[in-house]
Amino acid sequence: MFELRLMCPEDSVEAVCEALDALDALSVSVEDADAQTDAEQALFGEPGMPPPKEGWKRSRIVALFAEEATAKDASRLLALQDFFADSQVLGIQPVADQDWVRLTQSQFAPVEITPEFWIVPTWHEPPEQAKQVIRLDPGLAFGTGTHPTTRMCLRWIATHDVANQRVLDYGCGSGILAIGAALHGANNIDAVDIDDAAVTATVLNADANNVRLNAGLPDKATGQYQIVLANILATPLKVLAPLLRSHVAAGGNLVLAGILERQAQELKDAYAPYCTLEVSDVEDGWILMTAHC
């Protein structure tokens, strides 16, 4: 395979990417050309919401092609377009052969949640001190334990009494939170997501960890639960406030993650009519918010 590398101003990024897609690029990625410098420009977005911008002031675009001739043709055709006038071709180069499986595996090591609770990929042996282990490999759905939001949720599960509790994992992704709850003694666990791939991943991961749970689309969540977990993002969490609160039984716990520190007051305000949220954990700029209902 071959990479075609381009430099484009922000207002040309969308047109160039669309053209590359039409020219049979296998993939197209956009990067900040000034990353790791004083000119770096931070852009933040949330799934399901419009991107804040199509690119950076100076955007590096990398398009992957199956053949060198196709990459060269794309380069020549782009140069003829009016929208490419302020852009430039940086070059075409072959992509080095890689053992992609081994490379991917090297990026995922065991993750400590507590000294006794770990997430361990199948190609690693659990640490000697691990008494509870989630076996989880990277896959189609979010949630491998490497992100602070996932770790904080699992840490809450590990440090609270969830035994024999009915649990709802709303927006389950890989099912990691539901599996963590099951390993700590919860039962009658519902794990739901709007994404069919997440539901499939949750079922497979639950089987791999020999735990029982019910996975499905959001309508599978019924009634009330002693523990409701939702590791999503701030915007959908605000929209879901009345729904999530309605699923928490009296005396139960609501546990929310996917929230940046600067968004704490937004979430408190959104949930104020239903419960009182507090910040329970902080890690790398992310927070865990909980309420005892």
Side-chain angles (χ1 to χ4, degrees):
M1 293 188 288
F2 293 81
E3 283 184 348
L4 169 61
R5 304 178 72 84
L6 311 167
M7 183 73 75
C8 300
E10 179 187 323
D11 57 3
S12 299
V13 169
E14 184 175 11
V16 171
C17 288
E18 289 178 353
L20 287 166
D21 185 53
L23 291 168
D24 296 328
L26 300 176
S27 68
V28 179
S29 61
V30 184
E31 308 165 352
D32 184 359
D34 296 312
Q36 309 301 319
T37 73
D38 292 340
E40 182 175 5
Q41 179 185 9
L43 295 180
F44 299 98
E46 293 192 359
M49 301 294 290
K53 292 184 178 181
E54 296 298 334
W56 289 266
K57 186 175 180 180
R58 294 193 330 127
S59 294
R60 183 186 299 110
I61 298 180
V62 181
L64 188 66
F65 290 88
E67 298 177 354
E68 185 176 18
T70 312
K72 288 181 176 179
D73 287 344
S75 174
R76 285 193 291 267
L77 288 168
L78 282 172
L80 298 174
Q81 310 305 313
D82 291 340
F83 60 75
F84 199 72
D86 296 324
S87 304
Q88 65 181 113
V89 176
L90 300 178
I92 296 172
Q93 61 187 46
V95 178
D97 288 338
Q98 293 267 17
D99 184 340
W100 296 108
V101 171
R102 188 175 296 277
L103 179 63
T104 299
Q105 290 181 346
S106 70
Q107 297 171 349
F108 291 89
V111 176
E112 179 181 351
I113 304 303
T114 70
E116 296 182 345
F117 181 30
W118 289 70
I119 304 163
V120 184
T122 55
W123 53 85
H124 282 280
E125 288 298 318
E128 289 184 8
Q129 68 270 35
K131 294 184 179 178
Q132 295 283 9
V133 172
I134 297 178
R135 284 292 196 176
L136 195 71
D137 295 341
L140 296 176
F142 174 82
T144 59
T146 58
H147 197 275
T149 61
T150 309
R151 289 200 300 271
M152 287 190 292
C153 287
L154 288 171
R155 192 154 56 232
W156 188 94
I157 290 168
T159 55
H160 289 76
D161 184 8
V162 303
N164 301 313
Q165 302 287 292
R166 188 178 189 221
V167 174
L168 172 62
D169 180 2
Y170 199 99
C172 58
S174 66
I176 190 170
L177 302 186
I179 293 167
L183 290 175
H184 284 83
N187 54 34
N188 197 3
I189 302 166
D190 290 336
V192 302
D193 203 290
I194 60 173
D195 186 349
D196 288 329
V199 174
T200 300
T202 296
V203 171
L204 294 174
N205 288 330
D207 289 344
N209 284 276
N210 297 312
V211 301
R212 296 181 61 184
L213 51 79
N214 309 303
L217 298 176
D219 59 5
K220 198 171 188 69
T222 58
Q224 294 189 316
Y225 302 78
Q226 281 77 44
I227 299 169
V228 174
L229 305 157
N231 180 17
I232 317 176
L233 282 171
T235 297
L237 284 176
K238 288 189 288 186
V239 173
L240 290 167
L243 174 66
L244 293 177
R245 174 60 184 89
S246 71
H247 281 304
V248 185
N253 290 286
L254 179 63
V255 181
L256 307 178
I259 309 161
L260 294 167
E261 286 185 85
R262 59 178 171 81
Q263 297 170 322
Q265 192 59 49
E266 296 176 41
L267 269 294
K268 287 182 178 181
D269 292 344
Y271 280 78
Y274 316 104
C275 60
T276 302
L277 281 180
E278 299 293 343
V279 176
S280 297
D281 203 350
V282 181
E283 186 175 336
D284 293 343
W286 297 88
I287 56 176
L288 184 78
M289 302 192 77
T290 61
H292 185 70
C293 303

